[in-house]
Amino acid sequence: MLPARRYSVLPRWAIYTIFAAIILIFLICIICICAKCCCKSKKKKKKKSDDQINLQGVNGSTTTALVQPGSRDGDYGSAKNRGRLLYSLEYKAPELTVGIKQAAALTAMDLGGTSDPYVKVYLTPNKSKTFETQVYRKTLNPIFNEQFKFEIEKADLSESTIVMKVFDFNRFSKHDVIGELRLQLDSIDWNHVIEEWKDLSEPSKFEDEILGEICLSLRYVPTSSKLTVVILEAKNLKSMDPGGSSDPYAKLQLVLDRKKWKRKKTSVKKCTLNPYFNESFTFDVSFDQIQRVQLVISVWDHDKLTRNDAIGKIFLGCDATGNQLRHWADMLSNPRRPVAQWHHLLSSEQVDSTLQLKHTVRIPIINKNF
């Protein structure tokens, strides 16, 4: 006779645990199903609301007004908000008094969400004096209350512009421009003192300032394909060093079909704003290449411990304009003969921007064999 089998009975607490686990799993499944249904309904509502474009507040009939509700017709190229500046102007011949009162809501230029603003004030085109306010640390709403005086004849007001440029001070790097105001003095009523708030605008792309002049000679011999450039001298260069001087030298670079090709440079002249070089450089440039090449000449301030600073730049060639194009044309029209001319230096940004434009003026040369 076989012995009777013994069946082990689970304790009551284990049965309750299993039952509770089953109920918990069931509840989790229900919650997941409900959450999925809610997400679907929200997506449908969002899609439906996106399909209905609210045209309230559209004040114009242009595409800009439809895409950007709240904008008006003609708000093209509107810049970001850079802040506001409160200034004052008063003229009592021959003295112009410019007051920098305060600024508000300036753009934060530092990582901490603040700026270290100061204001630079000067007149153009005769930028003989430049004034600066005190630097105010870690604020977007500085109160300056400073005044600056310029000597200017009343007859010169109609051709002058006052520039108030707000900077963010950086101790170890280039100061950042926050924004600027440019006011043409010919449109101002000088019968009373002017004091008003104005929004800062985007800084001018090319600074209107005197960088200096450079004199150079060009000579081209088609039969030998030799281009000779003589850097003669420069004058009235912009001061780049703290002592009010510079250590200038010139770089020459040939650009062929928008690609850097050949380069040379002069010696460095110490502590002068009117250097005399009289240094000659010869390049091999074929008759075909002379119509496509650009001669870029830049003047630099040499620094031993830090990076060299660009003072100004010009370029000559068939893509040039004005005096630079005329000088190049005179060279081609007078083979074998040196042609010397003075040129006003331009900002590096302006020249670099112009060089990107491909607008070639072909200067005819009747006979290659001179």
Side-chain angles (χ1 to χ4, degrees), residues 65-247:
L66 293 174
V67 176
Q68 299 175 348
S71 63
R72 298 179 181 272
D73 290 348
D75 286 345
Y76 302 110
S78 57
K80 66 177 183 180
N81 183 20
R82 297 173 179 272
R84 306 174 69 206
L85 183 66
L86 176 63
Y87 68 93
S88 66
L89 294 176
E90 182 180 12
Y91 182 72
K92 292 181 179 180
E95 194 172 73
L96 172 66
T97 303
V98 181
I100 304 298
K101 304 294 185 180
Q102 65 182 96
L106 295 178
T107 301
M109 307 297 288
D110 299 334
L111 295 177
T114 62
S115 293
D116 301 325
Y118 70 96
V119 183
K120 186 179 290 187
V121 185
Y122 57 89
L123 287 171
T124 62
N126 183 21
K127 191 179 176 182
S128 58
K129 279 187 177 181
T130 300
F131 296 102
E132 294 182 5
T133 68
Q134 181 183 344
V135 177
Y136 286 81
R137 301 286 183 180
K138 300 184 183 300
T139 178
L140 302 180
N141 303 282
I143 299 176
F144 300 103
N145 285 331
E146 297 185 41
Q147 287 189 339
F148 308 102
K149 298 183 184 296
F150 297 88
E151 296 290 332
I152 180 171
E153 297 296 332
K154 193 168 185 178
D156 297 330
L157 289 174
S158 59
E159 300 178 356
S160 300
T161 300
I162 186 73
V163 181
M164 294 166 275
K165 187 172 291 189
V166 184
F167 287 85
D168 171 47
F169 176 83
N170 294 306
R171 184 175 296 276
F172 301 108
S173 62
K174 184 178 179 181
H175 300 180
D176 300 316
V177 182
I178 298 176
E180 70 174 25
L181 291 181
R182 288 180 179 261
L183 304 174
Q184 294 182 348
L185 301 183
D186 60 346
S187 60
I188 295 178
D189 181 11
W190 298 109
N191 293 324
H192 58 276
V193 179
I194 295 168
E195 183 172 327
E196 62 180 349
W197 283 94
K198 272 191 177 294
D199 292 330
L200 294 173
S201 60
E202 184 178 1
S204 177
K205 188 175 182 181
F206 306 123
E207 184 58 65
D208 185 16
E209 62 179 341
I210 298 173
L211 301 175
E213 299 176 64
I214 187 168
C215 183
L216 59 115
S217 170
L218 300 176
R219 179 174 180 260
Y220 183 66
V221 182
T223 53
S224 61
S225 299
K226 298 291 185 183
L227 171 65
T228 302
V229 182
V230 182
I231 304 297
L232 296 170
E233 59 181 310
K235 65 180 180 180
N236 300 325
L237 295 179
K238 180 183 177 182
S239 170
M240 305 298 289
D241 296 336
S245 186
S246 293
D247 300 323

Side-chain angles (χ1 to χ4, degrees), residues 311-331:
I311 298 176
K313 182 184 288 189
I314 62 168
F315 84 96
L316 304 96
C318 293
D319 286 348
T321 59
N323 290 332
Q324 287 81 14
L325 177 61
R326 190 177 301 112
H327 193 179
W328 194 258
D330 289 344
M331 176 196 70

